[in-house]
Amino acid sequence: KAGVTQTPRYLIKTRGQQVTLSCSPISGHRSVSWYQQTPGQGLQFLFEYFSETQRNKGNFPGRFSGRQFSNSRSEMNVSTLELGDSALYLCASSSSGGSPLHFGNGTRLTVT
Amino acid sequence: AQSVTQLDSQVPVFEEAPVELRCNYSSSVSVYLFWYVQYPNQGLQLLLKYLSGSTLVKGINGFEAEFNKSQTSFHLRKPSVHISDTAEYFCAVISNDYKLSFGAGTTVTVRA
């Protein structure tokens, strides 16, 4: 069974640009969550989608948005990038609420 | 809302020595508890989980953890570590809002 796949692995963008990150969950998993990981703030929850609906949202500004498609694949978008958005963005999937999350290897975003 | 406290940010340990990583959680409702490991430049990998039942949980790579409800703790242990156990370890909790909350992480450095 293939694991969670995140693309791209690395991204370099400049301030003010926007970026879209992609996540393909494990086959059969309907829940996809996104996390931001930085050395200073640790792992912070961004949002979770289940069957194309946002079920939970963390405390991030509206520049951070996401969506989930009917095949459970998910995308995350960040608009008007700031230097502080530089981070490792992790996607995780699970079969249902309360089930363990399975993580991808992340997308390393660098904003210059 | 639940929170997770990992009591040690750095744990240096010699090869073949035992290690214990401490984790406390706060929650007013039933929780599911997890330990994840993150190797450099990778995502998080599930080590073990506690959902219900026996309070002693065995995971992969020789790790185990004990759920203690009265002390709201879920400490991770390994009786004999290897160099390859050098990584960052995260304790996490899910409550009934399906949101996974992580501790700040404990960096384990195994020395020969």
Side-chain angles (χ1 to χ4, degrees):
Chain A
K1 212 175 193 181
V4 177
T5 304
Q6 291 188 246
T7 56
R9 282 280 278 146
Y10 301 94
L11 264 178
I12 300 175
K13 292 284 187 179
T14 56
R15 276 180 299 176
Q17 288 187 312
Q18 68 96 25
V19 67
T20 299
L21 312 182
S22 180
C23 172
S24 293
I26 290 173
S27 177
H29 283 189
R30 295 165 64 190
S31 170
V32 173
S33 300
W34 289 89
Y35 288 82
Q36 182 196 65
Q37 186 177 27
T38 59
Q41 300 296 320
L43 281 154
Q44 292 189 286
F45 172 75
L46 280 154
F47 26 66
E48 185 232 353
Y49 288 87
F50 185 84
S51 295
E52 301 179 67
T53 301
Q54 189 181 84
R55 187 161 66 174
N56 265 304
K57 190 177 188 310
N59 297 321
F60 278 81
R63 301 185 297 107
F64 292 81
S65 62
R67 58 178 176 168
Q68 186 180 33
F69 303 96
S70 58
N71 61 359
S72 293
R73 191 177 70 85
S74 178
E75 288 181 348
M76 189 191 108
N77 186 76
V78 188
S79 62
T80 321
L81 283 165
E82 301 177 359
L83 294 179
D85 297 333
S86 295
L88 180 67
Y89 290 88
L90 292 165
C91 168
S93 73
S94 69
S95 56
S96 63
S99 300
L101 297 185
H102 298 266
F103 284 82
N105 284 331
T107 294
R108 173 77 61 184
L109 173 64
T110 302
V111 182
T112 63
Chain B
Q2 67 276 10
S3 67
V4 182
T5 303
Q6 290 184 243
L7 296 155
D8 309 290
S9 60
Q10 307 260 357
V11 173
V13 58
F14 286 106
E15 194 174 19
E16 297 183 13
V19 71
E20 178 181 79
L21 308 184
R22 297 178 293 168
C23 172
N24 286 93
Y25 69 93
S26 64
S27 177
S28 58
V29 298
S30 298
V31 296
Y32 301 142
L33 293 154
F34 308 87
W35 275 99
Y36 285 86
V37 60
Q38 187 177 33
Y39 300 104
N41 298 314
Q42 292 188 25
L44 277 70
Q45 180 182 1
L46 181 67
L47 274 177
L48 48 79
K49 61 184 184 284
Y50 172 78
L51 304 181
S52 64
S54 173
T55 57
L56 183 62
V57 180
K58 293 194 183 296
I60 62 171
N61 301 342
F63 284 93
E64 63 181 31
E66 185 152 20
F67 170 62
N68 188 319
K69 188 173 182 179
S70 63
Q71 297 185 2
T72 59
S73 67
F74 191 55
H75 301 334
L76 180 72
R77 301 184 185 96
K78 184 169 182 177
S80 175
V81 297
H82 303 290
I83 298 288
S84 60
D85 292 321
T86 294
E88 190 158 18
Y89 293 79
F90 294 92
C91 182
V93 59
I94 284 181
S95 188
N96 54 5
D97 60 358
Y98 308 122
K99 213 184 324 183
L100 188 65
S101 296
F102 286 93
T106 298
T107 301
V108 173
T109 305
V110 181
R111 299 167 180 163

